[in-house]
Amino acid sequence: AGAGAGLVLARWALNALPALLPVSAFQLDYGFRLDARAYSYTLLATLGTVVLSGLAPALRASRAEVAPALRDGGGGGRQRSVSRTVMVVAQIGLAVVLLNAAGLLLRSFQRTRSESPGFDAARNLACLFMHTGRQAKGDQVTAVYERLRREAAALPGVRRATYCRRLPMSGSGGGATVKVEFPSLKLPEDQRRVGIRYNEVGPEYFAVLGTRILEGRAFSGEDRAGGARAVIVSAALAQRYFPGGVAVGQRVLVGGREAAVVGVAENARFNSIHEEPQPFVYIPFAQMPSGEATLMLESLREPGPLVGLAKKLVQREAPEAVVMSSVTLADHMKEVLFEDWVQAVLSSWLAGLGVALAAAGLFATVSYAVGRRMREFGVRMALGARRADVFGLVLKQSLWMAGAGIVLGLAGTLAASRVLRGMLYGVEPDDALTLACGAAAAAAVAVAASLAPAFQATRADAAECLRAE
């Protein structure tokens, strides 16, 4: 019955999954299917679980002796009580591990979201990934994208437009490098040429994307093909390769051609939201044109409707260009954060499931123990014990199991710190606040699961228990 219910929930979850996936520039099929392999696995896992969980009780029941069972009042025994207690403590320990992992991953996700990517992620941008084909070369490519930029900027609701070879963190070649030499540095011959990641950007790129120019200037109309070569470097590159971080006015060789550093831009993320600030070079698109480019339109309102207008513009003004895909910057950032979001959400669901199972196990164990001890509680109350004393006695047993499980869970969390460390950003796996919150939540759940059995114990009838004795 449980396996059947699980398969129904799985089918519902798979049907709901597309709504949870981010709007990607390139539609992907993740291949999630309920096929024969999935059903076979479910059947085998269910049968294996039934055998493993039912084998020990079945063997114990088959070896029961009559006389001890009668003396014990029909079943039970210390051995069974100890095994149930160990199982509950283990469940609570696992729940604490899952709670701590979920708390750490949620805090990590919050830190990631609050981290500046080096541009304004809240900008209303519509982005079109394009290609001009193999026929257009050099100045022809630049002319196509420049014409599209001017026409796009004139569309209703568009504030500004620009283009670049690749959108930051688009996963489309962000690891490509260009050889850069620094004549001002006296380096050995084999160390003079350094591979540095780069991007070719059009006019107003920094203004449209919201990347700050810390020193010098942004690219202008003077930075065209045939003009004086110019580059803009990231702050990380300026600090690493120029004395005192003063880069503006310095000369460098980019791809074997001399260029002047005209500006320093703030550090930005290019491949991953988690990457550390790295050296980066911006090159005027006109001085290093590429057939592939991303056309970006800054909208005065929600940018979604602009995508259709921009595609029609491309068909009309540049029929030789092909729009491969499109996305808004907001959807692009959701895709960038998707892995962190999935880790946080899935760990939260698993933590909730673990807590529910631990609470159910504790409730069942305490309820069973209370049912077997009702006669004892009645006698205690007949001899003068107050209801609060009986209530506290039951709650004390529950809190003892919860405390043992919490200690076990904290130890498990610290033991798993090496695995967790690789999944966290800006948070340490031994973060005291998160671990304390996880322990407190587990304790609160344990108390809540024990309240009903504890109240049941206080309802023991002393007179009836004495008559039974």
Side-chain angles (χ1 to χ4, degrees):
L7 287 174
V8 171
L9 288 175
R11 181 169 292 280
W12 172 82
L14 288 178
N15 291 336
L17 186 62
L20 300 177
L21 296 176
V23 179
S24 174
F26 302 93
Q27 295 303 316
L28 301 175
D29 183 358
Y30 290 89
F32 296 132
R33 303 284 188 274
L34 278 180
D35 53 16
R37 290 180 301 171
Y39 289 122
S40 300
Y41 171 80
T42 303
L43 177 62
L44 291 175
T46 303
L47 291 177
T49 303
V50 168
V51 171
L52 289 175
S53 61
L55 188 60
L59 289 174
R60 189 164 55 237
S62 66
R63 297 170 182 170
E65 298 181 11
V66 177
L70 292 175
R71 285 197 303 269
D72 198 31
R78 180 174 179 81
Q79 183 179 0
R80 255 173 278 182
S81 176
V82 171
S83 63
R84 283 192 294 267
T85 300
V86 170
M87 288 292 291
V88 171
V89 169
Q91 283 182 317
I92 295 174
L94 179 59
V96 171
V97 172
L98 294 174
L99 278 171
N100 290 334
L104 291 169
L105 289 169
L106 283 170
R107 291 196 63 194
S108 175
F109 179 60
Q110 291 174 344
R111 289 292 297 272
T112 301
R113 287 189 61 185
S114 63
E115 194 75 21
S116 172
F119 54 86
D120 186 0
R123 288 286 171 96
N124 293 325
L125 296 185
C127 307
L128 278 68
F129 300 91
M130 303 173 54
H131 203 289
T132 57
R134 297 181 178 179
Q135 279 68 32
K137 304 290 183 181
D139 292 346
Q140 296 176 336
V141 171
T142 303
V144 169
Y145 290 124
E146 188 60 27
R147 182 169 67 253
L148 288 175
R149 181 186 72 85
R150 291 194 299 267
E151 294 295 332
L155 288 175
V158 176
R159 183 182 181 188
R160 287 176 295 208
T162 188
Y163 52 91
C164 62
R165 181 172 184 178
R166 61 183 67 91
L167 189 66
M169 295 181 289
S170 60
S172 57
T177 61
V178 63
K179 294 296 184 181
V180 180
E181 297 182 50
F182 303 91
S184 60
L185 298 180
K186 305 304 181 182
L187 296 174
E189 183 68 27
D190 59 343
Q191 299 180 17
R192 290 182 182 177
R193 304 184 72 191
V194 183
I196 295 178
R197 290 188 293 172
Y198 69 98
N199 196 6
E200 301 102 312
V201 303
E204 296 193 277
Y205 168 85
F206 298 97
V208 170
L209 203 56
T211 298
R212 294 175 298 155
I213 298 295
L214 306 179
E215 298 177 26
R217 64 172 178 85
F219 293 135
S220 66
E222 299 298 319
D223 303 310
R224 59 182 182 275
R229 291 190 170 271
V231 295
I232 293 174
V233 301
S234 66
L237 187 149
Q239 290 294 330
R240 180 178 299 185
Y241 293 107
F242 294 105
V246 179
V248 176
Q250 300 280 358
R251 312 293 295 185
V252 295
L253 296 176
V254 179
R257 298 180 180 181
E258 187 177 29
V261 178
V262 299
V264 177
E266 68 173 311
N267 292 319
R269 270 76 172 176
F270 301 98
N271 272 350
S272 167
I273 192 67
H274 295 152
E275 70 183 13
E276 295 298 323
Q278 298 184 18
F280 201 85
V281 175
Y282 299 93
I283 303 170
F285 192 95
Q287 295 182 358
M288 194 174 174
S290 168
E292 61 174 350
T294 302
L295 181 66
M296 295 184 289
L297 288 69
E298 183 182 0
S299 174
L300 297 174
R301 298 176 294 276
E302 201 281 320
L306 275 182
V307 173
L309 291 176
K311 288 182 178 179
K312 292 180 181 178
L313 172 66
V314 173
Q315 293 174 356
R316 184 177 70 249
E317 298 294 333
E320 68 275 29
V322 177
V323 177
M324 296 181 290
S325 59
S326 59
V327 69
T328 64
L329 183 60
D331 287 334
H332 175 65
M333 292 307 299
K334 289 179 182 178
E335 187 176 5
V336 169
L337 296 170
F338 181 63
E339 183 178 345
D340 296 78
W341 179 82
V342 165
Q343 290 180 168
V345 171
L346 285 182
S347 64
S348 299
W349 276 96
L350 287 174
L353 179 61
V355 168
L357 291 175
L362 182 62
F363 173 80
T365 299
V366 176
S367 295
Y368 181 76
V370 166
R372 289 182 54 80
R373 297 176 63 187
M374 286 298 285
R375 193 178 294 177
E376 172 198 338
F377 295 143
V379 172
R380 285 177 180 270
M381 296 176 68
L383 295 177
R386 297 173 300 170
R387 293 183 183 274
D389 297 328
V390 174
F391 183 88
L393 189 65
V394 175
L395 205 58
K396 181 180 178 181
Q397 179 188 8
S398 300
L399 291 177
W400 181 89
M401 288 189 286
I406 289 171
V407 172
L408 182 64
L410 291 175
T413 303
L414 295 177
S417 61
R418 181 175 298 181
V419 176
L420 286 171
R421 192 181 301 276
M423 303 169 67
L424 300 177
Y425 177 76
V427 182
E428 291 297 322
D430 58 351
D431 181 71
L433 177 61
T434 304
L435 299 186
C437 289
V445 170
V447 171
S450 306
L451 289 178
F455 278 118
Q456 179 187 354
T458 63
R459 291 196 291 269
D461 191 321
E464 184 177 335
C465 291
L466 289 176
R467 282 196 299 272
E469 288 294 321

